[in-house]
Amino acid sequence: MAADDARPGASRDAEAPERAEAPEGARLPEGSEGPDGPAGPEGAVLSEGAEGPDGTVGPEAAVPTDGCGPTEDPAHADFPDPAAPRTTLAALSLPYQVGAALALAVVAVVACVHLGMVFLHVAPANTVTKQHGEAIDDWVYPEFEQNWKLFAPNPLQQNIDVQVRADVRTEDGASRTTGWYDLSAEDGRAIDGNPLPSHTRQNELRRAWDFFLGTHDGANHPVGLRGDLSEQYLRRIAVLRLGRDDAAGPGGTVERVQFRSVTTNVPPPKWSDEQISTTPVYRELPWWSVPSDEAAGGVR
């Protein structure tokens, strides 16, 4: 009767295979049941569309295995594609890499040399400029000429007007001398109110005059070969400006030109006790003959 006294469910328990408990944190296959029922053990990962313990369906029902967030599939990690084409210098062949490196090195050396030369050109006189001044000037002039100096002890405090007049031959053969044309004032009127004034209007006349002063002594005698060049440069500017202003009249030609400068000191501010003279100072240059090709319009 021992068998009869056994509970009815004992035989069913014996017949059913014993369910193995999954280790903590193990993943169960989709659709399998955990030891506690359909929801699966704590830490089981549910597939999309499966129902979670709180009744949610879809990816929201998934329970992270480590409690710190969803795991990432290494197959979808952001790794550089080794098959992607390279766009840097490494993409070049070895000879081209060597050529590019040499080109960059040459550009860097030239840039450093240029900066050094310009610095020595604008710096105060020193041992290097006294010994290598000619080499520095050959590098800077004329393309990289600088008209400023480092540590200038006395900034320009003057207004300088450059004026010119001419002896002209009229169409009927008569000669006459024009009045003074204020070329600096013409440039000033062209610049005033112009948001984009031309480089010529701003710098041509001023730099030409500075060039002349730097290559002539106080008696207007040229010093070196650059003195003659500065005279030619000023004369050509005069012929162009006078032709633009029609100074010779219809059919007339310019035979000679003469420059002068009018220098006026800038008055000091009202709060300053400095006393300076504001009387204009004139400097007249000698008359320069104009070659026939320039007088006939050969200057452009």
Side-chain angles (χ1 to χ4, degrees):
M1 295 299 292
D4 295 337
D5 292 338
R7 290 180 298 175
S11 60
R12 290 195 300 270
D13 293 340
E15 295 174 359
E18 185 176 351
R19 296 172 180 169
E21 294 184 0
E24 184 178 356
R27 297 171 179 259
L28 298 181
E30 184 177 353
S32 62
E33 296 183 359
D36 296 332
E42 181 179 359
V45 179
L46 303 181
S47 61
E48 185 175 355
E51 183 177 352
D54 56 356
T56 58
V57 178
E60 294 82 358
V63 181
T65 59
D66 55 359
C68 298
T71 58
E72 181 180 0
D73 187 358
H76 296 83
D78 294 333
F79 293 108
D81 185 4
R86 293 176 295 180
T87 58
T88 61
L89 289 177
L92 302 175
S93 61
L94 181 58
Y96 284 101
Q97 291 182 16
V98 174
L102 289 176
L104 291 176
V106 171
V107 171
V109 170
V110 172
C112 291
V113 172
H114 176 70
L115 291 176
M117 289 293 190
V118 173
F119 175 81
L120 292 173
H121 177 71
V122 301
N126 53 68
T127 304
V128 177
T129 56
K130 291 178 181 179
Q131 185 175 359
H132 303 287
E134 185 176 355
I136 295 172
D137 289 343
D138 290 342
W139 179 279
V140 172
Y141 291 110
E143 289 85 1
F144 309 114
E145 180 182 1
Q146 306 292 315
N147 60 352
W148 59 281
K149 295 293 181 181
L150 288 175
F151 320 115
N154 187 22
L156 184 63
Q157 298 179 355
Q158 297 173 329
N159 288 323
I160 302 176
D161 285 339
V162 179
Q163 302 174 355
V164 67
R165 64 178 178 177
D167 281 345
V168 299
R169 176 82 55 185
T170 61
E171 187 177 14
D172 57 5
S175 297
R176 65 180 178 88
T177 301
T178 67
W180 290 102
Y181 287 81
D182 194 336
L183 303 183
S184 297
E186 292 179 0
D187 288 345
R189 287 191 295 268
I191 294 172
D192 189 21
N194 187 349
L196 298 173
S198 69
H199 175 78
T200 301
R201 286 295 191 182
Q202 295 181 82
N203 299 311
E204 180 186 57
L205 180 64
R206 175 181 59 82
R207 298 184 66 177
W209 187 253
D210 289 342
F211 185 24
F212 176 85
L213 296 180
T215 55
H216 285 72
D217 57 20
N220 301 322
H221 296 149
V223 179
L225 298 177
R226 293 174 62 82
D228 294 335
L229 180 63
S230 66
E231 292 181 5
Q232 297 176 20
Y233 188 31
L234 267 180
R235 187 187 67 235
R236 287 169 175 264
I237 291 176
V239 173
L240 284 172
R241 299 291 184 90
L242 291 172
R244 187 182 304 163
D245 294 333
D246 197 19
T253 57
V254 177
E255 294 186 329
R256 297 193 307 167
V257 296
Q258 183 185 28
F259 277 92
R260 77 173 182 182
S261 65
V262 183
T263 303
T264 308
N265 292 322
V266 177
K270 296 180 180 180
W271 48 262
S272 175
D273 296 333
E274 184 181 3
Q275 300 294 327
I276 62 172
S277 174
T278 57
T279 302
V281 177
Y282 294 87
R283 177 177 179 175
E284 287 191 4
L285 306 186
W287 285 93
W288 295 334
S289 298
V290 177
S292 57
D293 57 340
E294 291 182 14
V299 178
R300 292 290 182 267

